[in-house]
Amino acid sequence: MKRTYAAPLTAVDRAEVLPGKGVRAEKDVVAHDPYLAGHYPHFTIYPGVFTIESVHQAVRRMVAAERGDWVRTEIDTIVSVSLSAPLLPGDVLRVQADRVPTAEEDLVRVKALCRRSDDVVAAKMTLVLRVHPEEAP
């Protein structure tokens, strides 16, 4: 899978692809990760945009498992996002992204539910991702 996002942002630490259904993924929120520095001084919090990126990277892994590592997948449309609880250092973000059928082969639509370690819902979102197939190496 090609990395089309900026290093060092790894927004998924573990992922399990559920063939034909979706993907489950986890991200450990670690206080010393460089992108957390200064994000709300004195109240370190995982940025909401990174929660979206966690779902994006989880779906990228799903698409790569289904279509090959050489496929490029990027967000086409953010249909909806609701951020409802903060993700703090020490939390584990748990993503469940379920595939929603689409008529277009180059689009992948998912509804994602993101929970914290304590099972509190941190975010809900619906994303549409565009798949750009490239030739296999």
Side-chain angles (χ1 to χ4, degrees):
M1 171 173 61
K2 287 186 178 179
R3 187 176 179 138
T4 58
Y5 47 90
L9 177 56
T10 299
V12 168
D13 294 320
R14 296 166 295 284
E16 175 189 6
V17 175
L18 308 169
K21 295 181 182 181
V23 61
R24 285 189 208 127
E26 293 183 339
K27 168 64 178 154
D28 299 321
V29 180
V30 181
H32 65 270
D33 281 346
Y35 46 82
L36 290 180
H39 192 70
Y40 292 115
H42 311 294
F43 186 65
T44 303
I45 184 172
Y46 192 65
V49 70
F50 288 3
T51 303
I52 297 168
E53 182 62 17
S54 292
V55 174
H56 174 210
Q57 289 184 23
V59 175
R60 289 182 72 226
R61 289 188 185 196
M62 177 186 75
V63 172
E66 295 171 353
R67 300 187 190 190
D69 286 343
W70 58 87
V71 174
R72 187 170 50 95
T73 307
E74 54 193 17
I75 295 174
D76 181 82
T77 308
I78 297 175
V79 177
S80 65
V81 174
S82 172
L83 303 170
S84 52
L87 291 156
L88 306 173
D91 281 334
V92 175
L93 167 62
R94 294 189 180 117
V95 173
Q96 173 69 46
D98 296 320
R99 182 187 293 275
V100 177
T102 61
E104 297 181 54
E105 187 176 314
D106 65 334
L107 295 179
V108 174
R109 183 181 182 113
V110 295
K111 285 191 174 196
L113 181 63
C114 303
R115 295 183 180 272
R116 292 190 315 207
S117 322
D118 59 2
D119 211 33
V120 169
V121 174
K124 295 178 183 180
M125 65 188 78
T126 301
L127 303 179
V128 177
L129 295 96
R130 184 165 301 278
V131 179
H132 302 279
E134 298 178 7
E135 286 189 33

